[in-house]
Every structure is written in C-alpha cells, then in structure tokens.
C-alpha cells in the first residue's frame, strides 16, 4: 500500500471572496448571532462570512469553531442555497484543523453530506464530495465514515460525477483504504472499472493521475483488486502509461502497484506486465525515479526476467544482464528495440553520473593552494 496520505484538495480552502483578516470580538459576535438567527438570509450571509474568514487563517478557524453546530443544522434545510453555503463554510473550517474535522462529524454532518452524494444538484454533490474528502483525512473520522454507507455512494460518484467530484471521491476512497479492513468493502462495490476509465482520460502527469494510482496501489494488495485490474480492458496498460509519463509521485504508485501484483503471484502476472510494455518505463525509473521508485523498479525487473533468482553470489546479475534476459524473450521487434534503446540510455546516464561523482571527489581531495608561509610543516611539533 502506498505511504501517501492525501490531505489537500484543490477545493480545500477555496473561496470566491477576498479578505481573511483577523476577526474582531464584535465581528465574531455578529457572525455568531446571524448564524443562529431564524432568518434564512442572515444564516446564509453568516456562512459566507465564515467561509471567507477561514479561507487561509488557522486563527479564524479556531475562533469560529463554535459555528460548527449551527452550520451542520443548515445542512438539514430544504434550501439548496443554505445547504451549499453551510458545506463551503464547514469545508474551510475543517482545512488543516483536526479538532474541527472531528467536531463536524460529532455534530451530525455525516448523514446529510452522504445524502447529498445522491443529489441531482451537481454543485451540491460536488461540494459534499469535497467535504467528505477533507473530513476523511482525519484518522478519527475514517471508521465512522466507512460504517456510514459512504463507500458505495463514493464509488457511484466516481462513475457518474463531475470531473472534480470524481477526483475528490477517488481521494476519499484512498484515505478510507488506509484502514486495511476497508479495502474489502471498497472492492465489493467494484470501483476499479470506473477508476481505470477515469485514469485513461487523465493527463498522466497530473495530480488526478497520481490520486488514481494511489488508490489502485491500495486496492491491488488484495487478490480481488488484482483480478479486477487485469480483467479490465486496458487496466494494466493504463498503469504502465503512468509508469512512463507520470509525475515522480504517480510513477512511484504505479510501479508499486505492478510490483505488488508480481510479488503476490509472479507466474500469474509476469506475462501480463511484460505484454503491456513496462520495461522501458522501469529502466528509466531505475536511474531517474525517486529513491523508492528506483528500488521498486529494480526489484520488479528481477521478477520479470526468466528466473527471479540469482545464479550464485559470485555470478549475481547486473541490471544490464537482467534486462537483456528479459528483452531476449520479448515478442515484437519494436518493443525489444525500444527496451534496448532505453537500456543504452540508462547505461549512458549511469556513466555520466559516475563521471560527475569522480570529478566531485577529485575536487574534494585536491589540497587547497596555500601561500608558502602558511603551509603546515611536514615535521610535527611537540
């Protein structure tokens, strides 16, 4: 499972309003009076003010935390304007504030937020998904959210929601998947087909792609997840494309997912991964990826060769030998040539890095030229 805990959404802390200065005692009291008013317009205006003032200020989030309960009450209003204003205010109150995240759920926000996932109002569904994403970053909230029936509705949003709602649903599911017991529950609602479909439409170097791969890496920990990914047309290929074209973090999740599959059952997944042309991307990762990506790519290359075991300690395979072994078994001249080219480039990069390293060492080892009068004596004094 990936180590990334995704916490920041493009919607967290968003606001159309300017100004986030310190709240005076009088202004704070005025906002609290309006949010508790029986007049709908006053409450909506107060919610908008809370959203504005908590956009970037952690101090204001603390000062305005007493507004959580009346805002949650607004979620039960029949007015969509009131619902939307309350969600956006709660969203900003929860950003980077663990206590507010917990108190929002304790105040009863979960049930109405989940109901909004089924709303025909696109904005309401989108804002509710963003709020659940933000709240799911709290470890205290995860179990409660999982037990609330949110998971099947989040999968539905991943299937049918807007682009932004799909992104936030993906990350919410990822955050919930960090509780191992939840992975089975998530998989029981068949999230991989819509997740793969979403990944295929993404720019492979985007944050969206990173979030999709993070969730996939979590889900393939179980056999049901691996079976679903390989059964989905183009599923493994979509991951391989991220391996080649993604951001450093996306590629780390992609190689992690493929490595998990191959380590779980090499005989079952080796040919599947080779068939989709993973070798060039893996070669590049061994020299240009993050430290974790490099280690995972090397391990996966070892598993993908004809025999995953070294012949002996004295004849341990180099990476070049491992890759040559793989290339020699590959079908398709084009793919083999591409792999050989990547290997040559990798070796060249490695040689250049080694040369730079030697040059740096040479510079470090060269004694500084000192004036004759300041050179240390060769005979030590006692």
């Amino acid at each position: 499972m990936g180590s990334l805990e995704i916490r920041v959404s493009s919607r967290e802390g968003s606001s159309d309003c300017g100004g986030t200065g310190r709240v005076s005692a009088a202004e704070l009291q005025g906002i609290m009076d309006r949010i508790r008013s029986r007049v709908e317009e006053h409450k909506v205006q107060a919610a908008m003010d809370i959203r504005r003032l908590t956009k970037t200020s952690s101090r204001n989030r603390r000062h305005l935390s007493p507004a959580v309960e009346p805002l949650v009450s607004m979620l039960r209003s029949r007015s969509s304007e009131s619902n939307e204003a309350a969600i956006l205010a709660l969203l900003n109150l929860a950003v980077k504030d663990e206590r507010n995240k917990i108190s929002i759920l304790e105040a009863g926000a979960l049930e109405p937020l989940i109901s909004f996932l089924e709303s025909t109002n696109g904005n309401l569904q989108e804002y509710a998904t963003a709020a659940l994403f933000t709240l799911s970053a709290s470890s205290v909230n995860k179990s409660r959210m999982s037990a609330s029936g949110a998971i099947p509705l989040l999968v539905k949003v991943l299937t049918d929601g807007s682009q932004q709602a799909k992104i936030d649903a993906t990350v919410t599911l990822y955050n919930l998947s960090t509780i191992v017991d939840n992975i089975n529950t998530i998989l029981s609602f068949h999230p991989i087909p819509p997740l793969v479909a979403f990944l295929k439409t993404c720019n492979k170097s985007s944050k969206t792609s990173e979030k999709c791969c993070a969730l996939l890496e979590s889900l393939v920990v179980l056999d049901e997840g691996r079976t679903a990914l390989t059964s989905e047309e183009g599923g493994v290929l979509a991951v391989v494309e991220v391996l080649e074209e993604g951001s450093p973090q996306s590629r780390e999740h992609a190689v992690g997912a493929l490595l998990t599959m191959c380590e779980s059952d090499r005989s079952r997944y080796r040919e599947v991964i080779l068939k989709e042309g993973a070798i060039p991307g893996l070669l590049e990762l061994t020299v240009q990826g993050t430290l974790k990506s490099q280690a995972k790519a090397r391990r996966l290359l070892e598993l993908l060769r004809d025999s995953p075991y070294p012949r002996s300690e004295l004849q341990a395979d180099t990476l070049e030998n491992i890759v040559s072994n793989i290339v020699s078994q590959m079908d398709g001249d084009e793919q083999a040539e591409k792999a050989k080219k990547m290997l040559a480039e990798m070796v060249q990069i490695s040689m250049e890095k080694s040369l730079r390293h030697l040059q740096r060492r040479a510079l470090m080892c060269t004694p500084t030229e000192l004036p004759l009068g300041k050179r240390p004596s060769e005979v030590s004094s006692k």
Side-chain angles (χ1 to χ4, degrees), residues 75 83-84 87 95 229 308 335 344 375:
L75 297 179
N83 298 154
E84 291 178 20
I87 294 174
V95 174
L229 181 60
Q335 179 60 31
R375 287 183 180 176

Side-chain angles (χ1 to χ4, degrees), residues 120-132:
T120 56
N121 180 326
N123 284 340
L124 200 54
Q125 184 191 71
E126 197 169 294
Y127 298 157
T129 309
L132 289 170

Side-chain angles (χ1 to χ4, degrees), residues 134-148:
T134 305
L135 296 171
S136 71
S138 166
S139 57
V140 176
N141 288 345
K142 289 177 185 178
S143 295
R144 186 179 298 178
M145 291 180 68
S146 304
S148 68

